[in-house]
Amino acid sequence: MIGVKHNQETIVRGIVKEIFLKSALKVFATNGYHGSSVADIAKEANVSKALFYHYFDSKNDLLVIFAKQRLEEWNPLLENLETLEDPKARIKCLIDFVLSELETRADWLRFLYMLYLSKEGISAIQEAMKKYQRQFNRLFAAERKLYRDLGYANPDDEATYLRSVLQGICLEFLLSGGNYPLKAIKEKIIKRYLP
Amino acid sequence: MIGVKHNQETIVRGIVKEIFLKSALKVFATNGYHGSSVADIAKEANVSKALFYHYFDSKNDLLVIFAKQRLEEWNPLLENLETLEDPKARIKCLIDFVLSELETRADWLRFLYMLYLSKEGISAIQEAMKKYQRQFNRLFAAERKLYRDLGYANPDDEATYLRSVLQGICLEFLLSGGNYPLKAIKEKIIKRYLP
Amino acid sequence: MIGVKHNQETIVRGIVKEIFLKSALKVFATNGYHGSSVADIAKEANVSKALFYHYFDSKNDLLVIFAKQRLEEWNPLLENLETLEDPKARIKCLIDFVLSELETRADWLRFLYMLYLSKEGISAIQEAMKKYQRQFNRLFAAERKLYRDLGYANPDDEATYLRSVLQGICLEFLLSGGNYPLKAIKEKIIKRYLP
Amino acid sequence: MIGVKHNQETIVRGIVKEIFLKSALKVFATNGYHGSSVADIAKEANVSKALFYHYFDSKNDLLVIFAKQRLEEWNPLLENLETLEDPKARIKCLIDFVLSELETRADWLRFLYMLYLSKEGISAIQEAMKKYQRQFNRLFAAERKLYRDLGYANPDDEATYLRSVLQGICLEFLLSGGNYPLKAIKEKIIKRYLP
DNA sequence: TATGAATGAGCTTTCATTCAT
DNA sequence: CATGAATGAAAGCTCATTCAT
C-alpha cells in the first residue's frame, strides 16, 4: 500500500548512525573538524559518501549531535553532586568522573578540546549549547556548594583551580602519547583533597 | 654598498614576513589550520593572496616556522633552570615563565594546543621537532633535577604533575573567555610550591 | 478470473501512474524539468522515491509520456476541423479549443513551453514526435484549408499569424499571474475573425 | 609596494566577464538554468571552472545580472514612447523594437521565456526586479497613453492584446526553427495598426 | 507493491598554488 | 615587489537509479 512505513527500520538507522558517529569522531580527533572531509568519514565507515547524507543533514549536523551527547554525559555526575551528603564523597566522585576511562574517551576528548579551542567551533555549536545553559549553571552551583561544604575560603577560585588541574591532566594525558603516569597522578591529587 | 641595499631588503622582508605570521596566527586561532585559507591570511594582512608565496613556500611552511619559534622561545627558561643555584628560584622562574603574558600569547597558545592535539598536525611538524629533541631532553633533565633538589620523592611524577597543572591553567584561561582569575590561581600555586 | 485480477491491477496501476504524472507536472511547472528531482515528485505524491521506478523507466520517460498525451489531446480538434462544413464554425472551434480551460491547463502549458523552448528538451522527445508527424501534417493541412475557405489571400501566413496570436495569449496568460483579461481578449479576437 | 592596485586591469575583467555572460546565455538557452552547469559555461568559454568564481559570486549571480541588463535594454523604447508626439510613430516604434533583431536576440529571448515561465525562476530574480518596478510602471503608463491617443475605447485591454500578439510572434519565431515568415507577419501587423 | 538502504556520477563552490605583468 | 588571472584538485552536497526486503 502507498504510504506504509516500517517501524523496525529505525533500528538499522540507529545502528548505522552510530557507526557514522564513531567514524566521524575518529577522523575528527585525528585531523580536526575542518581537516576531516565527509569522504574521510565515509571511508572510515566503509560506505559511500552519499550515504552519509541519508543519515545526517550536513557535516555540521555532527557537531550539534556531539555537543548534545557530551552535555548529556554529565548528567550522572550532576545527579551525584546534588544528592550525595558527604562532601568528600562528592569530590571523590568528581575526580573519578573526569579522570576515569580516559583511554576509551581519548578520541572524544581530543575532538572536544579542538572544538572548544577554535573560536569558530564554539559559535557553531552555541545554539545547541543554549538549551543546556541551565544544566551548566546547576553544575557550577553544585561545584561551589561542594567547596563551601569542604570549608574552603574562596569556593569560586577553588572550583576554578580543581577544574584547571583536572583539565590539565586530561590534556597532558592526550599529548603524552600513551606513557602518562595517570595512576600516580590521580593518587596524588586524591591524597591532596581527601587527606 | 650593495651589501647595505641587500641588508635593507632583508629587513623589509623580515617585517613583511612578521606581518604574515601574525595574521596567520590570528586566523589559525580562530578557525584552526585547516579551517583557514591562504586567502583569509592575506585578507587579514591586507595584501594579495599571491604575495604570500613570495615569502613562504607553502601554507604548511607556517607550521614549521611556528614550531621552531615556539621551541626557541623556551631557551631563556632552559638557561635559567640550568644556571640558577636556588631550586626555589628555579621553580618560581618556571611558573612565572609559563603563566606570564597569557593575554598576549593567547592566539599563539590556542593554535599550538590545536596543533598538538591533532595527531596529523604533529606529524606535519615532526621533522622540525626532531632537530630540537636534544633541547627537549635538556629541559626534562633540568626539571627532574629541580624536583630532586627540592627533595621530592618522585621527581618524574612531580614534573609531570606540575606540567599538567600549568597546562590546565593555560587551557582553562583560553576557554574561559576572559574572566579567568589568573592572579588568584597563580598565587595559590606559588604558595603551594614556595611556602 | 485470473484475467479479472489482472485487470484490476492494471486499473490501480493506471491510477497510481496518473498521480505520479500529475505530481510531476506540478513540480516541473514550478522548477522546470532539470530543476525538479524524482525525490521532489515522489514527495509531492506522498510516496517513496523508489516507487517511481515501479511505474516509469526513468525520469526522462515522463517527457515522452507528456509529449504523447499532448499530441493526442489535439485529436478532437483535428476531427472537428476535418468534418465541419462551415469554416466559421471551424475557426470558432479552433479558437475555443486553444483558449479554453487555460486555468486548469496552466501547469501543463507552462511545462510544455519550457520544454519546447529548450533546444535539448526537444531532442529528448523528438523520437516520440516523429510517430505523430503525420498527425501534425493533417492539422496544418486542415488549417490551410480553413483559411482558404475563409477566402484569405495567403493561407500559410494567415495560419502562422493566428497561431502566433493564440500562443501569445496563452503565454501572457501564464506570465500575468492571474489577472489576465482573458474574456475580453477572446471576444476581441472572435469578433475579428467572425464579424 | 603593498596595497598598490592597477586600474587598467578592470578592463580585462570587464572583457572576460562579458565572455562568461555570453557563454552562459548560450548554454542557458539550450538547457535552461537548472540544466546548465558552471562547468558547461566554463567549457563554452574555454576556461577553467574555477575561473568563473573569480568573476562571479555564484551561478545565481548570473540571473540577477541578466535581469538587470534586460530591464535596462528597454530604456531607449521607454524614452521614445514618452517623448514622441505622434501616436502612430510611437506604436511603430514599439512594434519595431520588439520584433527587431530577433535572430541575434534569440538566445536571450529563449532564456528569458524559460526563466519567466518557471515560477522558481521568477522568485529568484524578484529582488532585482523590485528596483525596476518604477520603470515598469512608466512603461505600462506610456502604453496606456498610447492607446488612448490612438482613440481606442479600452486602452488597457488593447495594451494587453498587442503585448500578447508580439510575444506570440516572438515565441513562435523561436519555436519555428528558422522558417518563420517574420517579414510577412510584421507587415501584416503594422498594416493593421497603421492603416 | 512499496520502502529504506545504498551508490556513482555530477553539481556548486573553495582552495593551494602558479604565472604573466 | 606586488597583483590579478588562472587552474587542478578536492570539498560539501544532490541526484537518478538500483537493490534487498
Side-chain angles (χ1 to χ4, degrees):
Chain A
M1 291 288 193
I2 290 185
V4 169
K5 312 271 174 187
H6 302 274
N7 259 347
Q8 73 217 47
E9 276 158 5
T10 49
I11 295 171
V12 173
R13 220 182 145 74
I15 294 170
V16 176
K17 255 187 138 166
E18 215 48 59
I19 293 174
F20 264 121
L21 287 171
K22 209 170 171 181
S23 304
L25 205 50
K26 196 166 176 184
V27 300
F28 283 173
T30 306
N31 299 325
Y33 178 74
H34 288 297
S36 311
S37 70
V38 172
D40 293 337
I41 297 169
K43 202 173 186 180
E44 175 71 33
N46 269 317
V47 289
S48 77
K49 208 172 36 163
L51 189 59
F52 176 87
Y53 291 93
H54 195 59
Y55 290 92
F56 304 94
D57 283 345
S58 69
K59 187 182 159 193
N60 192 67
D61 208 13
L62 295 173
L63 288 187
V64 178
I65 292 174
F66 283 144
K68 282 185 184 172
Q69 283 189 355
R70 169 69 172 166
L71 289 164
E72 267 152 26
E73 213 173 60
W74 286 78
N75 274 339
L77 172 66
L78 183 51
E79 211 139 314
N80 277 336
L81 289 186
E82 288 180 337
T83 54
L84 288 175
E85 285 284 325
D86 181 15
K88 288 191 177 176
R90 271 183 271 157
I91 204 162
K92 175 93 174 42
C93 202
L94 176 61
I95 293 170
D96 276 347
F97 183 86
V98 176
L99 299 186
S100 71
E101 298 175 273
L102 276 186
E103 286 91 352
T104 56
R105 292 190 301 136
D107 275 353
W108 203 204
L109 275 176
R110 202 176 278 272
F111 167 65
L112 276 167
Y113 280 136
M114 284 202 271
L115 193 59
Y116 289 159
L117 280 166
S118 91
K119 296 173 192 166
E120 191 70 8
I122 291 176
S123 80
I125 54 169
Q126 256 175 356
E127 206 181 349
M129 290 295 209
K130 269 179 197 165
K131 291 184 186 171
Y132 292 84
Q133 191 57 51
R134 207 165 44 100
Q135 207 166 356
F136 263 118
N137 291 337
R138 270 173 65 196
L139 183 61
F140 290 155
E143 276 186 19
R144 269 194 303 274
K145 184 169 183 304
L146 168 59
Y147 298 105
R148 227 180 296 125
D149 292 351
L150 281 167
Y152 281 100
N154 211 329
D156 268 2
D157 288 355
E158 209 56 48
T160 300
Y161 181 73
L162 183 56
R163 221 183 291 135
S164 301
V165 172
L166 293 177
Q167 293 267 35
I169 291 168
C170 291
L171 182 61
E172 280 287 305
F173 176 87
L174 290 178
L175 299 181
S176 68
N179 46 27
Y180 190 85
L182 183 58
K183 213 174 153 187
I185 298 293
K186 196 173 167 184
E187 272 170 22
K188 198 173 176 60
I189 194 171
I190 284 182
K191 203 181 296 174
R192 206 205 136 197
Y193 279 91
L194 306 169
Chain B
M1 301 311 149
I2 290 178
V4 168
K5 199 187 167 204
H6 244 138
N7 241 1
Q8 280 183 337
E9 281 180 3
T10 315
I11 292 170
V12 171
R13 226 185 133 74
I15 293 171
V16 176
K17 255 186 138 166
E18 215 48 57
I19 293 175
F20 265 120
L21 288 170
K22 207 172 170 182
S23 304
L25 206 50
K26 195 166 177 183
V27 299
F28 283 173
T30 305
N31 300 324
Y33 178 73
H34 290 296
S36 311
S37 70
V38 173
D40 292 336
I41 297 169
K43 202 174 185 180
E44 175 71 34
N46 266 317
V47 290
S48 77
K49 213 172 33 164
L51 188 60
F52 176 87
Y53 290 92
H54 278 262
Y55 291 92
F56 304 95
D57 285 345
S58 70
K59 187 182 158 193
N60 192 69
D61 208 13
L62 295 172
L63 289 187
V64 179
I65 291 173
F66 283 144
K68 282 185 184 172
Q69 283 190 355
R70 169 68 171 166
L71 290 164
E72 267 152 26
E73 213 174 59
W74 286 79
N75 275 339
L77 172 64
L78 183 52
E79 213 140 312
N80 276 337
L81 288 186
E82 287 179 338
T83 54
L84 287 176
E85 285 285 325
D86 181 15
K88 287 190 177 177
R90 270 183 272 157
I91 204 162
K92 177 94 175 40
C93 201
L94 176 61
I95 293 170
D96 276 347
F97 183 84
V98 176
L99 299 187
S100 71
E101 297 174 274
L102 277 186
E103 285 91 352
T104 55
R105 291 190 300 136
D107 277 352
W108 200 206
L109 274 176
R110 201 176 278 271
F111 168 65
L112 275 166
Y113 280 135
M114 285 200 271
L115 195 59
Y116 290 159
L117 280 166
S118 91
K119 296 175 193 165
E120 198 67 12
I122 290 178
S123 86
I125 56 166
Q126 259 174 355
E127 207 181 350
M129 290 294 211
K130 271 179 194 164
K131 292 184 187 171
Y132 291 84
Q133 193 55 52
R134 208 162 43 100
Q135 205 166 357
F136 263 118
N137 291 338
R138 271 173 65 197
L139 183 61
F140 290 155
E143 276 185 19
R144 269 195 302 276
K145 184 170 181 305
L146 168 60
Y147 297 105
R148 227 180 296 125
D149 292 351
L150 281 167
Y152 281 103
N154 211 329
D156 267 3
D157 286 356
E158 210 55 49
T160 300
Y161 182 73
L162 184 56
R163 219 181 295 133
S164 301
V165 172
L166 293 177
Q167 293 267 34
I169 291 168
C170 292
L171 182 61
E172 279 287 306
F173 175 85
L174 291 178
L175 299 181
S176 69
N179 45 26
Y180 191 85
L182 184 57
K183 213 174 155 188
I185 298 292
K186 197 172 167 184
E187 272 171 22
K188 198 173 178 62
I189 196 171
I190 284 181
K191 202 182 297 174
R192 208 205 134 195
Y193 280 90
L194 306 170
Chain C
M1 301 310 144
I2 290 179
V4 169
K5 197 186 168 203
H6 245 141
N7 240 4
Q8 280 183 337
E9 281 180 4
T10 316
I11 292 170
V12 172
R13 227 186 133 73
I15 294 171
V16 176
K17 256 186 139 166
E18 213 49 56
I19 293 174
F20 265 121
L21 287 171
K22 206 171 171 182
S23 305
L25 205 50
K26 195 166 177 183
V27 299
F28 283 173
T30 304
N31 299 324
Y33 177 74
H34 290 296
S36 311
S37 70
V38 172
D40 293 336
I41 297 169
K43 202 175 185 181
E44 175 72 32
N46 266 316
V47 290
S48 77
K49 213 171 32 165
L51 187 60
F52 177 88
Y53 290 91
H54 279 260
Y55 292 90
F56 305 94
D57 285 344
S58 70
K59 188 182 158 192
N60 192 68
D61 208 14
L62 294 173
L63 289 187
V64 179
I65 292 173
F66 283 144
K68 282 184 184 172
Q69 284 189 354
R70 169 67 171 167
L71 290 163
E72 268 154 25
E73 214 175 57
W74 286 79
N75 275 338
L77 172 65
L78 184 53
E79 213 140 313
N80 276 337
L81 288 187
E82 287 179 338
T83 55
L84 287 176
E85 285 285 324
D86 181 15
K88 288 190 177 176
R90 271 184 270 158
I91 204 162
K92 176 95 175 39
C93 200
L94 176 61
I95 292 169
D96 276 346
F97 183 85
V98 176
L99 299 186
S100 70
E101 296 174 273
L102 277 186
E103 285 91 352
T104 54
R105 292 189 300 136
D107 276 351
W108 200 207
L109 274 175
R110 201 176 277 272
F111 168 65
L112 275 166
Y113 280 136
M114 285 200 270
L115 194 59
Y116 290 159
L117 280 166
S118 92
K119 295 175 193 166
E120 198 67 11
I122 290 179
S123 86
I125 55 167
Q126 258 175 354
E127 207 181 348
M129 290 293 210
K130 270 179 194 166
K131 292 183 185 172
Y132 291 84
Q133 193 56 51
R134 208 162 44 98
Q135 207 165 354
F136 263 118
N137 290 339
R138 271 173 65 198
L139 183 60
F140 290 156
E143 276 186 19
R144 269 195 302 274
K145 184 170 182 303
L146 168 59
Y147 297 106
R148 227 181 296 125
D149 292 352
L150 281 168
Y152 281 102
N154 211 329
D156 267 3
D157 286 355
E158 210 55 47
T160 299
Y161 181 74
L162 183 56
R163 218 182 294 135
S164 301
V165 172
L166 292 177
Q167 293 267 35
I169 291 168
C170 292
L171 181 61
E172 280 287 305
F173 176 85
L174 291 178
L175 299 181
S176 68
N179 47 26
Y180 190 84
L182 184 58
K183 213 176 155 188
I185 298 292
K186 197 172 167 184
E187 272 171 22
K188 199 175 177 59
I189 195 170
I190 285 182
K191 203 183 297 174
R192 207 206 136 196
Y193 281 91
L194 307 170
Chain D
M1 294 289 196
I2 290 185
V4 169
K5 312 272 173 188
H6 301 274
N7 260 347
Q8 73 217 48
E9 275 158 4
T10 49
I11 296 172
V12 173
R13 221 183 143 74
I15 293 170
V16 176
K17 255 186 139 166
E18 215 48 60
I19 293 174
F20 264 120
L21 288 171
K22 210 171 170 181
S23 304
L25 205 51
K26 195 166 176 184
V27 299
F28 282 173
T30 305
N31 299 325
Y33 178 74
H34 288 297
S36 312
S37 70
V38 173
D40 292 336
I41 297 169
K43 203 173 186 181
E44 175 71 32
N46 269 317
V47 289
S48 77
K49 212 171 34 164
L51 189 59
F52 177 87
Y53 291 92
H54 196 58
Y55 290 92
F56 304 94
D57 284 344
S58 69
K59 187 183 158 191
N60 193 66
D61 209 12
L62 295 174
L63 288 187
V64 178
I65 292 173
F66 283 144
K68 282 185 184 171
Q69 283 189 355
R70 169 68 172 168
L71 290 163
E72 267 152 27
E73 214 174 58
W74 286 78
N75 274 339
L77 172 66
L78 183 52
E79 211 139 314
N80 276 337
L81 290 186
E82 288 180 336
T83 53
L84 287 176
E85 285 284 324
D86 180 17
K88 288 191 178 177
R90 271 183 271 157
I91 203 161
K92 176 95 177 40
C93 202
L94 175 60
I95 293 169
D96 276 347
F97 183 85
V98 176
L99 299 186
S100 71
E101 298 175 273
L102 276 185
E103 285 91 352
T104 55
R105 292 189 301 135
D107 274 353
W108 203 204
L109 275 176
R110 201 176 278 272
F111 167 64
L112 276 167
Y113 280 137
M114 284 202 272
L115 193 59
Y116 289 160
L117 280 167
S118 91
K119 295 174 193 165
E120 191 69 8
I122 290 176
S123 81
I125 55 169
Q126 256 176 355
E127 207 181 347
M129 290 294 209
K130 269 178 196 165
K131 292 183 185 171
Y132 291 84
Q133 192 56 51
R134 208 164 42 101
Q135 206 166 355
F136 264 117
N137 291 338
R138 271 173 65 197
L139 184 61
F140 291 156
E143 277 186 18
R144 269 195 303 274
K145 184 169 183 303
L146 168 59
Y147 298 105
R148 227 181 296 125
D149 293 351
L150 281 167
Y152 282 102
N154 211 330
D156 268 4
D157 288 354
E158 209 56 47
T160 300
Y161 182 73
L162 183 55
R163 221 183 290 133
S164 301
V165 172
L166 293 177
Q167 293 266 35
I169 291 168
C170 292
L171 181 61
E172 281 286 306
F173 176 86
L174 291 178
L175 299 181
S176 69
N179 46 27
Y180 190 84
L182 184 58
K183 213 174 153 187
I185 298 293
K186 197 172 168 184
E187 272 171 23
K188 199 175 176 60
I189 196 171
I190 285 182
K191 203 181 297 174
R192 208 208 134 193
Y193 280 91
L194 307 169

